[in-house]
Amino acid sequence: ATPNLHLRQANPHCDLENQPVNIATELMEYQKQSAFVGVMARGFGGSNIYTIAWGAMRDKNAQQVVISARDSIMYWPGGGGALATEQMPNHAYMIVGSWSQWQEAEAMEPEGDSTYTYIVVLGESRFEQFQIWLDGDPTRVLHPGHAKGFKDTTVFGPGAMGHGCNWVIDGRQELPAIKVPKELGDESLL
């Protein structure tokens, strides 16, 4: 399930504790074989439309494939070389990610020997994405050069072209089972 685009905080007066509803604030795996989905649109002329769709996985056309267990945690980065003196941050290396909905860059702690750390508490999905911003500036981004870069991915930047290029912290013990159409075979997982 994808997160709600503009949701920053749920209304504290809504009692959703024992209700069959989940308001997604982060990307989550969907464990069911079928789903109802609703989409609403409002027109400037007063027209409103709400569409409800239902879909299901056809088991006869799919086989279940379980991907083996991963390393305990995968995180940033490897390689890329040192920054030139004029590219170094004036104040701090700052981290921003999916746990804060990309809103708050926070300073990383210097550990010595040009090493910086930051503790990330993984959300319910145990899967977070992040970038490093020099001095908290979103135009001076260190990134992996592509979406969902894992451990040992080359570092690119700093630059403003890092939108969508994030490292991944994957704390799941193993990847979920994936239904793959039989005609695609195992090669579709690559």
Side-chain angles (χ1 to χ4, degrees):
T2 58
N4 289 284
L5 181 62
H6 299 291
L7 178 66
R8 298 285 182 251
Q9 180 179 5
N11 186 332
H13 300 290
C14 292
D15 182 21
L16 302 175
E17 188 67 31
N18 295 315
Q19 302 298 322
V21 65
N22 185 10
I23 299 175
T25 57
E26 61 185 356
L27 188 62
M28 298 172 55
E29 297 172 24
Y30 192 73
Q31 302 292 328
K32 305 294 183 188
Q33 295 292 318
S34 63
F36 283 99
V37 178
V39 178
M40 182 171 188
R42 295 182 177 168
F44 288 112
S47 299
N48 296 328
I49 185 166
Y50 192 79
T51 302
I52 299 175
W54 177 81
M57 191 90 167
R58 286 188 258 163
D59 288 330
K60 66 181 182 178
N61 292 332
Q63 65 187 24
Q64 188 166 352
V65 177
V66 177
I67 299 173
S68 62
R70 294 175 159 253
D71 294 339
S72 59
I73 297 285
M74 293 191 164
Y75 56 92
W76 136 328
L83 292 175
T85 305
E86 66 274 3
Q87 292 179 323
M88 296 290 289
N90 295 320
H91 303 289
Y93 287 93
M94 301 186 80
I95 188 169
V96 63
S98 55
W99 58 86
S100 68
Q101 298 176 356
W102 303 96
Q103 297 299 309
E104 297 177 36
E106 298 186 44
M108 298 176 73
E109 295 294 323
E111 297 292 325
D113 192 33
S114 298
T115 301
Y116 294 83
T117 62
Y118 182 83
I119 296 174
V120 175
V121 177
L122 300 178
E124 185 177 325
S125 68
R126 299 183 317 274
F127 184 90
E128 302 289 353
Q129 298 184 56
F130 71 95
Q131 294 179 336
I132 306 297
W133 291 359
L134 304 184
D135 296 322
D137 184 351
T139 65
R140 298 180 63 210
V141 178
L142 297 178
H143 58 85
H146 57 83
K148 298 181 182 173
F150 282 104
K151 179 171 69 173
D152 299 327
T153 304
T154 302
V155 180
F156 290 87
M161 301 303 293
H163 181 73
C165 300
N166 312 313
W167 280 286
V168 167
I169 304 171
D170 191 347
R172 300 174 290 185
Q173 293 301 312
E174 63 180 43
L175 292 176
I178 300 171
K179 296 283 188 170
V180 179
K182 288 180 183 177
E183 60 271 9
L184 294 179
D186 289 340
E187 295 180 65
S188 64
L189 294 176
L190 298 177

